[in-house]
Amino acid sequence: MTAPRPWSNGQRTLLEARLPVGPVSRLVAADRRARDPIYLAHRWFARRPPALLRAILLASVLPSTTPEAEFWRLFADGNSDPLKDKTVYDPFHGGGTTLIEAGRLGAHVAGRDIDPVACRLVRHELRALDLDEFDASAEALLDYLGHRFSSFYPTSTEAQPLHYFSVARVECPTCSTEDLLYRNLLLARGVKRNGSVARPPEQNVFCPQCARPKQLPLDAKEFHCCGKALTINAGTWERNRWTCPECHGRFSHLELRTGVADRQIVGIEETSTTSSRFIRAATDDDLLAHQKATEYITENFDALTLPEGSVESDGRDSRPASFGIEQFRDMFTHRQLAVFGSAFSFVRKLAVSEPVRDGLILAVSNALTSNNRMCGYATDYGRLSALFSVRGYSLPILSVELNPLHPTAGRGTLARTIQRVRASTRTTVRRYVWDTTRDYPKAVVHEHRRDTNPTLVAGSATAVDSTVSSSRTADLVITDPPYFDYISYDRLSAFYRSWFDEDSVSGDPILPDEANPRHSFGIRLGAALTESASALKDGGLLAFTYHSSSRPAWEALGLALDEAKLRVTALWPVLADPHMGHHGTSGACQYDIVVVTRPVSQLEPAEPPFGIDGGAEWIDSLPLDLPKPDRIGALLAYETLGSRWATVEPAQDSESDLARPTAPGE
């Protein structure tokens, strides 16, 4: 079949007529089983699913009359370039998903972001890397760190230490009694969970008196040590309070300053090539290693790159200040500061190309998430739980310090994060596409293509810059702007920026004011959308993802569209955050609403597909089973944005296309 000709500016697109929201949602869920290595080079906080962005981009350049089979043929074809000669601009590029997927479809890409970490990451994702130079430099880094710091991770056997378990030793604010803070005495269990590490069928516990680990049968409920009967599931931390064993006062993390308290090692997990993992007691050499790290920092302070700055909290989330943590430096042990302070300094002095240096800095930075005092442990899986596993700061009761120099095992070691950066340069990638013969996702291998000359700008989306915005060079603006119900990702990203030369963002985040959140957010987002729309060529299209189950959030978005003189030509709910697990909260949205807009000057006013009051009918017409929060959000989107509906001149659309936004396959 001959491919439909790409859209001419102003023509109604497939995105405005029919988006296959059911199959796209299933692809989003399937892609969780085929993680794309380019998106693993460095942790980012809120990536939109690649399948969703690929669908939006492709549907944005196809005429509304494109058959469903042709859409899916182009979606599955990793060698086609339907966006050739098109420019795609993302004014909030974040982790770069829009730009990567647009480049894979043949587009020239342009983007901006206020966060230096995001800018560094996207530069890496979009340009080639000399792997020979990178491999040699990475080997030099690991050799340097191993030579200097292997003695910081001693072992009493031929095995390699991997995880150091510890609990806080806190002091009672009332009577000054010191004691350990723990929820229970469990360290790990060998229960053969799917995906867990190999471990004997037993449970590992520790004694709070002598701080030594013990191996017990899986069905044991208590054990004896130091002359006491100890209940495994009992602890000193209960209902978010620590109980003093002397005066019986109950205190919070803030009162105890748990986040910066001294810690007691209660077990060290080692790996071996000849046996399963084993948890042993700390030796004198292990305790001496911390003292050696402190001495190293004192002696080499001026030569180290160490985190700078204070940790800022906002009115909605007081963490990590509520744990007693005030400085970014407080979030790391002295051993971690010595290793990573030396790693950053070494990389910055390397005589290598800029892409190689940036790749190594990303690898070292990415390892920080798994090498800090706020890492926990999944007891039934034998895996470290990194900082930002939830989208915020969380303080584990049982803390785990990783050996970042372990050569073969462990999540977040330097060897692993270097490997991820290298893997992100692959020229092919495994993806899921829609099999129209079976109506089911299938895996394919796509070529990964990069724009060889992307236009990237560090700065606010509201800023005027002739390189991208205000220049009418973009055929499409596709983005994921800040949400009204926001998470302060710039505040979380400061964890990484504290180690970088760039320690501040290049502009003000778009956030609501407490005094008048709806109006303030709408005006600020409206200014960004105004500037973004000014980048569009005549007849261009601006689409973005947004979600909330809050009416003020959608009212703020409506105000932003009014400010930017944009009108809505389509709305589509699509799965974007499936099975959030511990990432989500009760009532959180799993579906995004794809909001498709054009400048009002291009459009004719119109009613939404089912009339102003037809939100429920519209939702019921879609091949989706929306959870309650997402149904509420979709209804609010329709009600709020329906009065801002408009249409473009159709190109041989059928009457059914104009009547409602049907999904292919209905």
Side-chain angles (χ1 to χ4, degrees):
M1 175 183 289
T2 303
R5 64 180 179 85
W7 66 307
S8 58
N9 286 348
Q11 178 181 309
R12 192 173 190 234
T13 67
L14 187 63
L15 185 63
E16 294 164 302
R18 303 183 315 280
L19 184 70
V21 292
V24 171
S25 295
R26 292 179 66 183
L27 289 180
V28 168
D31 271 346
R32 297 176 71 250
R33 305 193 299 273
R35 303 187 73 185
D36 192 330
I38 197 169
Y39 298 119
L40 303 179
H42 194 284
R43 178 182 291 272
W44 194 248
F45 305 103
R47 290 187 186 274
R48 295 301 88 191
L52 171 57
L53 268 301
R54 186 176 179 89
I56 292 172
L57 287 159
L58 182 57
S60 296
V61 298
L62 295 176
S64 60
T65 52
T66 304
E68 176 188 356
E70 181 62 14
F71 170 82
W72 286 119
R73 185 189 72 79
L74 291 169
F75 188 98
D77 187 353
N79 297 313
S80 66
D81 54 358
L83 269 67
K84 183 180 180 181
D85 300 325
K86 304 295 181 186
T87 295
V88 175
Y89 174 44
D90 185 349
F92 302 97
H93 69 55
T97 308
T98 296
L99 304 185
I100 292 167
E101 297 305 317
R104 286 172 170 173
L105 291 167
H108 172 64
V109 301
R112 72 164 64 228
D113 203 279
I114 65 172
D115 196 306
V117 181
C119 294
R120 188 187 293 269
L121 173 57
V122 172
R123 281 199 307 271
H124 165 78
E125 291 169 335
L126 295 178
R127 66 185 175 188
L129 184 67
D130 184 327
L131 289 181
D132 289 339
E133 185 185 18
F134 179 79
D135 289 345
S137 301
E139 184 178 359
L141 170 64
L142 293 177
D143 286 347
Y144 170 81
L145 296 175
H147 176 74
R148 288 206 166 197
F149 302 115
S150 60
S151 64
F152 283 15
Y153 303 94
T155 179
S156 57
T157 68
E158 294 182 357
Q160 289 272 356
L162 179 63
H163 295 132
Y164 294 79
F165 300 98
S166 67
V167 293
R169 180 173 293 280
V170 296
E171 180 180 304
C172 176
T174 300
C175 67
S176 300
T177 296
E178 288 189 2
D179 197 16
L180 300 183
L181 185 154
Y182 55 94
R183 182 176 281 116
N184 55 54
L185 302 177
L186 183 65
L187 296 176
R189 293 191 297 192
V191 292
K192 295 185 178 180
R193 299 277 190 194
N194 185 29
S196 64
V197 300
R199 197 188 296 278
E202 61 188 19
Q203 57 181 326
N204 300 90
V205 299
F206 71 92
C207 172
Q209 305 299 316
C210 64
R212 297 183 64 85
K214 293 183 176 294
Q215 288 75 46
L216 300 175
L218 282 174
D219 59 355
K221 305 296 183 184
E222 61 180 27
F223 65 99
H224 287 78
C225 191
C226 297
K228 292 186 176 182
L230 300 167
T231 302
I232 295 173
N233 286 328
T236 59
W237 179 262
E238 188 178 12
R239 295 193 298 274
N240 292 323
R241 290 291 187 275
W242 173 78
T243 301
C244 174
E246 185 67 27
C247 70
H248 305 294
R250 289 174 56 76
F251 305 98
S252 67
H253 283 314
L254 180 60
E255 294 168 305
L256 299 169
R257 293 177 55 80
T258 311
V260 294
D262 290 337
R263 303 197 70 87
Q264 173 72 57
I265 297 177
V266 293
I268 299 173
E269 184 173 40
E270 293 186 327
T271 65
S272 169
T273 57
T274 59
S275 63
S276 58
R277 293 188 182 184
F278 178 79
I279 297 177
R280 64 170 175 84
T283 66
D284 290 342
D285 286 341
D286 293 310
L287 302 179
L288 183 62
H290 289 275
Q291 180 181 332
K292 290 168 63 177
T294 302
E295 293 171 354
Y296 183 90
I297 292 174
T298 302
E299 295 169 1
N300 298 275
F301 186 84
D302 292 338
L304 299 175
T305 298
L306 297 174
E308 300 290 342
S310 301
V311 176
E312 295 183 3
S313 301
D314 60 31
R316 305 192 334 158
D317 189 347
S318 61
R319 300 173 299 174
S322 59
F323 307 145
I325 296 172
E326 298 174 354
Q327 305 289 322
F328 283 109
R329 205 168 292 178
D330 296 338
M331 300 176 72
F332 301 90
T333 68
H334 285 180
R335 182 157 56 181
Q336 290 165 341
L337 290 173
V339 172
F340 285 89
S342 298
F344 276 112
S345 294
F346 181 85
V347 171
R348 289 191 174 124
K349 294 176 183 177
L350 276 177
V352 293
S353 64
E354 183 184 8
V356 167
R357 180 176 289 103
D358 275 355
L360 288 174
I361 286 177
L362 284 174
V364 177
S365 173
N366 200 25
L368 294 172
T369 317
S370 302
N371 291 273
N372 61 82
R373 288 165 58 99
M374 301 176 74
C375 293
Y377 192 75
T379 57
D380 287 353
Y381 292 89
R383 300 189 186 279
L384 178 146
S385 178
L387 180 64
F388 305 138
S389 293
V390 294
R391 292 169 186 168
Y393 289 101
S394 179
L395 183 65
I397 302 303
L398 177 68
S399 180
V400 176
E401 181 179 0
L402 176 67
N403 173 6
L405 305 180
H406 197 292
T408 58
R411 241 181 215 186
T413 62
L414 283 164
R416 287 289 175 88
T417 56
I418 287 171
Q419 184 182 41
R420 285 177 191 156
V421 169
R422 195 184 196 284
S424 70
T425 67
R426 292 176 187 167
T427 57
T428 58
V429 59
R430 184 172 178 265
R431 296 288 296 273
Y432 278 93
V433 300
W434 191 248
D435 186 341
T436 56
T437 62
R438 298 190 306 146
D439 284 339
Y440 198 79
K442 69 175 181 180
V444 298
V445 175
H446 276 178
E447 179 185 358
H448 170 58
R449 293 174 293 179
R450 290 174 169 84
D451 184 340
T452 57
N453 189 31
T455 303
L456 300 176
V457 178
S460 170
T462 61
V464 176
D465 186 294
S466 59
T467 306
V468 181
S469 59
S470 302
S471 58
R472 298 195 177 278
T473 59
D475 297 283
L476 299 170
V477 174
I478 308 293
T479 191
D480 177 44
Y483 297 161
F484 182 82
D485 307 310
Y486 67 94
I487 297 175
S488 297
Y489 293 125
D490 62 293
R491 191 170 62 83
L492 301 184
S493 175
F495 169 81
Y496 301 110
R497 295 198 310 271
S498 68
W499 291 82
F500 288 2
D501 292 331
E502 315 99 323
D503 60 355
S504 61
V505 294
S506 305
D508 295 325
I510 297 175
L511 302 174
D513 287 341
E514 186 175 345
N516 194 342
R518 184 190 70 86
H519 183 266
S520 59
F521 183 81
I523 294 298
R524 289 167 183 164
L525 181 58
L529 293 178
T530 298
E531 194 57 38
S532 301
S534 71
L536 285 171
K537 297 176 182 177
D538 289 339
L541 179 152
L542 188 156
F544 56 90
T545 53
Y546 192 82
H547 69 232
S548 180
S549 56
S550 155
R551 183 176 294 277
W554 289 102
E555 291 174 345
L557 179 59
L559 175 59
L561 295 178
D562 293 344
E563 285 289 308
K565 295 182 172 55
L566 294 170
R567 290 296 177 265
V568 177
T569 58
L571 294 174
W572 302 105
V574 184
L575 184 66
D577 214 350
H579 307 297
M580 291 178 293
H582 58 276
H583 288 293
T585 57
S586 177
C589 294
Q590 297 182 53
Y591 284 71
D592 281 357
I593 304 295
V594 179
V595 182
V596 189
T597 73
R598 292 180 185 258
V600 67
S601 59
Q602 302 176 18
L603 306 170
E604 293 292 332
E607 280 201 350
F610 292 90
I612 294 294
D613 300 321
E617 188 179 356
W618 166 64
I619 293 173
D620 291 340
S621 75
L622 299 170
L624 299 171
D625 183 16
L626 297 180
K628 183 177 180 180
D630 294 297
R631 186 176 180 89
I632 292 171
L635 282 171
L636 289 170
Y638 190 94
E639 291 173 11
T640 307
L641 303 184
S643 61
R644 297 168 172 89
W645 208 272
T647 189
V648 294
E649 184 69 22
Q652 300 177 354
D653 293 76
S654 68
E655 288 299 319
S656 62
D657 288 338
L658 296 175
R660 64 191 182 97
T662 55
E666 283 192 290

